[in-house]
Amino acid sequence: MDYVRQIVKIFHDEHLATLAILARFGALLDAHREGVPTDAAAAGDFARMMRDIEALIASDLVAHFAFEENSLFPVMEAAGYGAMGALLAEEHVSIRVTAGQLVALFRAVRAVEVKEADWRDIRRLGFEFMQQMTVHIEKEEMGLLATLDDVVEEGQDADLAMAYSAAR
């Protein structure tokens, strides 16, 4: 979709980047569905992926979600679309819980050898996180961003884009 507003384009680009990371994470989890990645290359791939997912969570669940909740959802509410923002904010809560559990598990296994039970938990939480994020992004792409592109005014757009840039 071709968006007009800068803030919408920024969030759209972040969504695409997030989906790409999630796809790589899913491929890694799928490639090792039989058990823990044990060879050096696979273990290295897993270590890098843990760092990438943690960075994604820090970015998306801190800056991205907070900006939506504090700056974009109020714009939606003022334009009569408060229910959409409320629904997405509820999803943020669920996603944060899953992400927190996943990061805690990553931290626990980072210092020790990953056991099969840990790997099963990583796969379960990883796929749950991926599903939550993918569905959430789809809703934002179809609802939030399309609506924001219509309701945000030009001057407001520049202010929002600058504020988001400063928050990152």
Side-chain angles (χ1 to χ4, degrees), residues 23-153:
R24 286 188 4 252
F25 187 39
L28 183 133
L29 294 177
D30 271 344
H32 299 284
R33 63 182 161 272
E34 299 301 322
V36 178
T38 54
D39 64 78
D45 289 345
F46 176 59
R48 278 186 297 283
M49 185 52 57
M50 283 192 299
R51 286 190 302 273
D52 289 350
I53 293 295
E54 285 175 315
L56 171 74
I57 288 169
S59 172
D60 273 13
L61 276 62
V62 176
H64 187 106
F65 281 9
F67 191 82
E68 286 177 343
E69 293 165 1
N70 297 322
S71 299
L72 299 182
F73 295 169
V75 170
M76 296 290 290
E77 186 166 354
Y81 297 94
M84 184 187 305
L87 170 70
L88 295 170
E90 286 178 24
E91 289 181 5
H92 288 175
V93 173
S94 298
I95 294 168
R96 283 181 177 117
V97 169
T98 304
Q101 293 170 339
L102 189 58
V103 167
L105 189 53
F106 284 170
R107 290 180 181 154
V109 301
R110 185 170 280 120
V112 297
E113 183 176 322
V114 180
K115 297 176 181 63
E116 287 298 324
D118 296 327
W119 184 246
R120 282 191 301 274
D121 288 342
I122 288 168
R123 289 188 82 245
R124 179 184 55 78
L125 286 169
F127 283 122
E128 182 177 340
F129 175 69
M130 289 169 35
Q131 178 189 27
Q132 287 174 325
M133 287 295 293
T134 301
V135 168
H136 184 74
I137 287 170
E138 288 172 356
K139 287 178 185 175
E140 287 193 353
E141 288 288 321
M142 294 185 310
L144 177 69
L145 298 186
T147 303
L148 282 170
D149 210 42
D150 288 337
V151 301
V152 170
E153 296 179 11

